[in-house]
CSV table of all heavy atoms in Angstrom, one decimal:
chain,number,residue,atom,x,y,z
A,526,SER,N,38.5,-58.9,-29.9
A,526,SER,CA,38.2,-58.7,-31.3
A,526,SER,C,39.2,-57.8,-32.0
A,526,SER,O,39.2,-57.8,-33.3
A,526,SER,CB,36.8,-58.1,-31.5
A,526,SER,OG,36.7,-56.9,-30.9
A,527,LYS,N,39.9,-57.0,-31.3
A,527,LYS,CA,40.9,-56.1,-31.9
A,527,LYS,C,42.3,-56.6,-31.9
A,527,LYS,O,43.2,-56.0,-32.4
A,527,LYS,CB,40.9,-54.7,-31.2
A,527,LYS,CG,39.5,-54.0,-31.3
A,527,LYS,CD,39.5,-52.7,-30.7
A,527,LYS,CE,38.1,-52.1,-30.9
A,527,LYS,NZ,37.9,-50.8,-30.2
A,528,TRP,N,42.6,-57.8,-31.4
A,528,TRP,CA,43.9,-58.4,-31.3
A,528,TRP,C,44.5,-58.7,-32.7
A,528,TRP,O,45.7,-58.6,-32.9
A,528,TRP,CB,43.9,-59.6,-30.5
A,528,TRP,CG,44.0,-59.4,-29.0
A,528,TRP,CD1,43.5,-58.3,-28.3
A,528,TRP,CD2,44.5,-60.2,-28.0
A,528,TRP,NE1,43.7,-58.4,-27.0
A,528,TRP,CE2,44.4,-59.6,-26.8
A,528,TRP,CE3,45.2,-61.5,-28.0
A,528,TRP,CZ2,44.8,-60.1,-25.6
A,528,TRP,CZ3,45.6,-62.0,-26.9
A,528,TRP,CH2,45.4,-61.4,-25.6
A,529,GLY,N,43.6,-59.0,-33.7
A,529,GLY,CA,44.1,-59.3,-35.0
A,529,GLY,C,44.8,-58.1,-35.7
A,529,GLY,O,45.7,-58.3,-36.4
A,530,GLY,N,44.4,-56.9,-35.3
A,530,GLY,CA,45.0,-55.7,-35.9
A,530,GLY,C,46.4,-55.4,-35.3
A,530,GLY,O,47.2,-54.7,-35.9
A,531,ILE,N,46.6,-56.0,-34.1
A,531,ILE,CA,47.9,-55.7,-33.4
A,531,ILE,C,48.9,-56.8,-33.8
A,531,ILE,O,50.1,-56.6,-34.0
A,531,ILE,CB,47.7,-55.7,-31.9
A,531,ILE,CG1,46.8,-54.5,-31.5
A,531,ILE,CG2,49.0,-55.6,-31.2
A,531,ILE,CD1,47.4,-53.2,-31.9
A,532,PHE,N,48.4,-58.1,-33.8
A,532,PHE,CA,49.3,-59.2,-34.1
A,532,PHE,C,49.5,-59.4,-35.6
A,532,PHE,O,48.8,-58.7,-36.4
A,532,PHE,CB,48.8,-60.5,-33.4
A,532,PHE,CG,48.8,-60.3,-31.9
A,532,PHE,CD1,47.6,-60.1,-31.3
A,532,PHE,CD2,49.9,-60.4,-31.2
A,532,PHE,CE1,47.6,-60.0,-29.9
A,532,PHE,CE2,49.9,-60.2,-29.9
A,532,PHE,CZ,48.7,-60.0,-29.2
A,533,THR,N,50.4,-60.3,-36.0
A,533,THR,CA,50.7,-60.5,-37.4
A,533,THR,C,49.4,-60.7,-38.3
A,533,THR,O,49.3,-60.2,-39.3
A,533,THR,CB,51.7,-61.7,-37.6
A,533,THR,OG1,52.8,-61.4,-36.7
A,533,THR,CG2,52.1,-61.8,-39.0
A,534,ASP,N,48.5,-61.5,-37.7
A,534,ASP,CA,47.3,-61.8,-38.5
A,534,ASP,C,46.2,-62.3,-37.5
A,534,ASP,O,46.4,-62.6,-36.4
A,534,ASP,CB,47.5,-62.8,-39.6
A,534,ASP,CG,48.1,-64.2,-39.1
A,534,ASP,OD1,47.6,-64.6,-38.0
A,534,ASP,OD2,49.0,-64.7,-39.7
A,535,ASP,N,45.0,-62.3,-38.1
A,535,ASP,CA,43.8,-62.7,-37.3
A,535,ASP,C,44.0,-64.2,-36.8
A,535,ASP,O,43.5,-64.5,-35.7
A,535,ASP,CB,42.5,-62.6,-38.1
A,535,ASP,CG,42.2,-61.1,-38.3
A,535,ASP,OD1,42.6,-60.3,-37.5
A,535,ASP,OD2,41.4,-60.9,-39.3
A,536,GLN,N,44.6,-65.0,-37.6
A,536,GLN,CA,44.7,-66.5,-37.2
A,536,GLN,C,45.6,-66.6,-36.0
A,536,GLN,O,45.3,-67.4,-35.1
A,536,GLN,CB,45.2,-67.3,-38.4
A,536,GLN,CG,45.3,-68.8,-38.1
A,536,GLN,CD,43.9,-69.4,-37.7
A,536,GLN,OE1,42.9,-69.0,-38.4
A,536,GLN,NE2,43.8,-70.2,-36.7
A,537,MET,N,46.7,-65.9,-36.0
A,537,MET,CA,47.6,-66.0,-34.8
A,537,MET,C,47.0,-65.4,-33.6
A,537,MET,O,47.1,-66.0,-32.5
A,537,MET,CB,48.9,-65.2,-35.1
A,537,MET,CG,49.9,-65.4,-33.9
A,537,MET,SD,51.6,-64.8,-34.1
A,537,MET,CE,51.4,-63.2,-34.7
A,538,ALA,N,46.2,-64.3,-33.7
A,538,ALA,CA,45.5,-63.7,-32.6
A,538,ALA,C,44.5,-64.7,-32.1
A,538,ALA,O,44.4,-64.9,-30.9
A,538,ALA,CB,44.9,-62.4,-33.0
A,539,ALA,N,43.7,-65.4,-33.0
A,539,ALA,CA,42.7,-66.3,-32.6
A,539,ALA,C,43.4,-67.5,-31.8
A,539,ALA,O,42.8,-68.0,-30.8
A,539,ALA,CB,41.9,-66.8,-33.8
A,540,THR,N,44.5,-68.0,-32.3
A,540,THR,CA,45.2,-69.1,-31.7
A,540,THR,C,45.7,-68.7,-30.3
A,540,THR,O,45.5,-69.5,-29.3
A,540,THR,CB,46.4,-69.5,-32.5
A,540,THR,OG1,46.0,-69.9,-33.8
A,540,THR,CG2,47.2,-70.7,-31.9
A,541,MET,N,46.2,-67.5,-30.1
A,541,MET,CA,46.6,-67.0,-28.8
A,541,MET,C,45.4,-66.9,-27.8
A,541,MET,O,45.5,-67.4,-26.7
A,541,MET,CB,47.3,-65.7,-28.9
A,541,MET,CG,48.8,-65.8,-29.4
A,541,MET,SD,49.7,-64.3,-29.1
A,541,MET,CE,49.1,-63.3,-30.4
A,542,ILE,N,44.4,-66.3,-28.3
A,542,ILE,CA,43.2,-66.2,-27.5
A,542,ILE,C,42.6,-67.5,-27.0
A,542,ILE,O,42.3,-67.8,-25.9
A,542,ILE,CB,42.1,-65.3,-28.2
A,542,ILE,CG1,42.6,-63.9,-28.4
A,542,ILE,CG2,40.8,-65.4,-27.5
A,542,ILE,CD1,41.8,-63.1,-29.4
A,543,ASP,N,42.6,-68.5,-28.0
A,543,ASP,CA,42.1,-69.8,-27.7
A,543,ASP,C,42.9,-70.5,-26.6
A,543,ASP,O,42.4,-71.0,-25.7
A,543,ASP,CB,42.2,-70.7,-29.0
A,543,ASP,CG,41.7,-72.1,-28.7
A,543,ASP,OD1,40.5,-72.2,-28.4
A,543,ASP,OD2,42.5,-73.0,-28.9
A,544,ARG,N,44.2,-70.4,-26.7
A,544,ARG,CA,45.1,-71.0,-25.6
A,544,ARG,C,45.0,-70.3,-24.3
A,544,ARG,O,45.2,-70.9,-23.3
A,544,ARG,CB,46.6,-71.0,-26.2
A,544,ARG,CG,46.7,-72.0,-27.3
A,544,ARG,CD,48.1,-72.1,-27.8
A,544,ARG,NE,48.1,-73.1,-28.9
A,544,ARG,CZ,49.0,-73.2,-29.8
A,544,ARG,NH1,50.0,-72.3,-29.8
A,544,ARG,NH2,48.9,-74.1,-30.7
A,545,LEU,N,44.8,-69.0,-24.3
A,545,LEU,CA,44.7,-68.2,-23.1
A,545,LEU,C,43.4,-68.5,-22.3
A,545,LEU,O,43.4,-68.7,-21.1
A,545,LEU,CB,44.8,-66.7,-23.3
A,545,LEU,CG,46.1,-66.2,-23.7
A,545,LEU,CD1,46.0,-64.8,-24.2
A,545,LEU,CD2,47.0,-66.3,-22.4
A,546,VAL,N,42.3,-68.6,-23.1
A,546,VAL,CA,41.0,-68.7,-22.4
A,546,VAL,C,40.6,-70.1,-22.1
A,546,VAL,O,39.7,-70.3,-21.2
A,546,VAL,CB,39.8,-68.0,-23.2
A,546,VAL,CG1,40.1,-66.5,-23.3
A,546,VAL,CG2,39.6,-68.6,-24.5
A,547,TYR,N,41.2,-71.1,-22.7
A,547,TYR,CA,40.8,-72.5,-22.5
A,547,TYR,C,40.9,-72.9,-21.0
A,547,TYR,O,40.0,-73.5,-20.5
A,547,TYR,CB,41.6,-73.4,-23.4
A,547,TYR,CG,41.2,-74.9,-23.2
A,547,TYR,CD1,40.0,-75.3,-23.6
A,547,TYR,CD2,42.1,-75.8,-22.7
A,547,TYR,CE1,39.6,-76.6,-23.5
A,547,TYR,CE2,41.7,-77.1,-22.5
A,547,TYR,CZ,40.5,-77.5,-22.9
A,547,TYR,OH,40.1,-78.8,-22.8
A,548,HIS,N,42.0,-72.5,-20.4
A,548,HIS,CA,42.2,-72.8,-19.0
A,548,HIS,C,42.4,-71.4,-18.2
A,548,HIS,O,43.3,-71.3,-17.5
A,548,HIS,CB,43.5,-73.6,-18.7
A,548,HIS,CG,43.4,-75.0,-19.2
A,548,HIS,ND1,42.5,-75.9,-18.7
A,548,HIS,CD2,44.1,-75.6,-20.2
A,548,HIS,CE1,42.7,-77.1,-19.4
A,548,HIS,NE2,43.6,-76.9,-20.3
A,549,GLY,N,41.5,-70.5,-18.5
A,549,GLY,CA,41.7,-69.2,-18.0
A,549,GLY,C,40.5,-68.5,-17.5
A,549,GLY,O,39.4,-69.0,-17.6
A,550,HIS,N,40.7,-67.3,-16.9
A,550,HIS,CA,39.6,-66.5,-16.4
A,550,HIS,C,39.9,-65.1,-17.0
A,550,HIS,O,41.0,-64.6,-17.2
A,550,HIS,CB,39.7,-66.3,-14.9
A,550,HIS,CG,39.5,-67.6,-14.2
A,550,HIS,ND1,38.3,-68.3,-14.2
A,550,HIS,CD2,40.4,-68.4,-13.6
A,550,HIS,CE1,38.5,-69.5,-13.5
A,550,HIS,NE2,39.7,-69.5,-13.1
């Protein structure tokens, strides 16, 4: 939930999180 504050924007953070957790642990 705090990644949006570190990355360029909330949308980019959400996209990264989505790609990481889809096939992840």
Side-chain angles (χ1 to χ4, degrees):
S526 66
K527 295 184 180 174
W528 279 28
I531 297 299
F532 297 105
T533 307
D534 58 42
D535 289 338
Q536 185 60 42
M537 182 169 53
T540 301
M541 283 194 283
I542 293 165
D543 181 64
R544 290 181 178 159
L545 286 169
V546 301
Y547 182 66
H548 293 294
H550 301 287

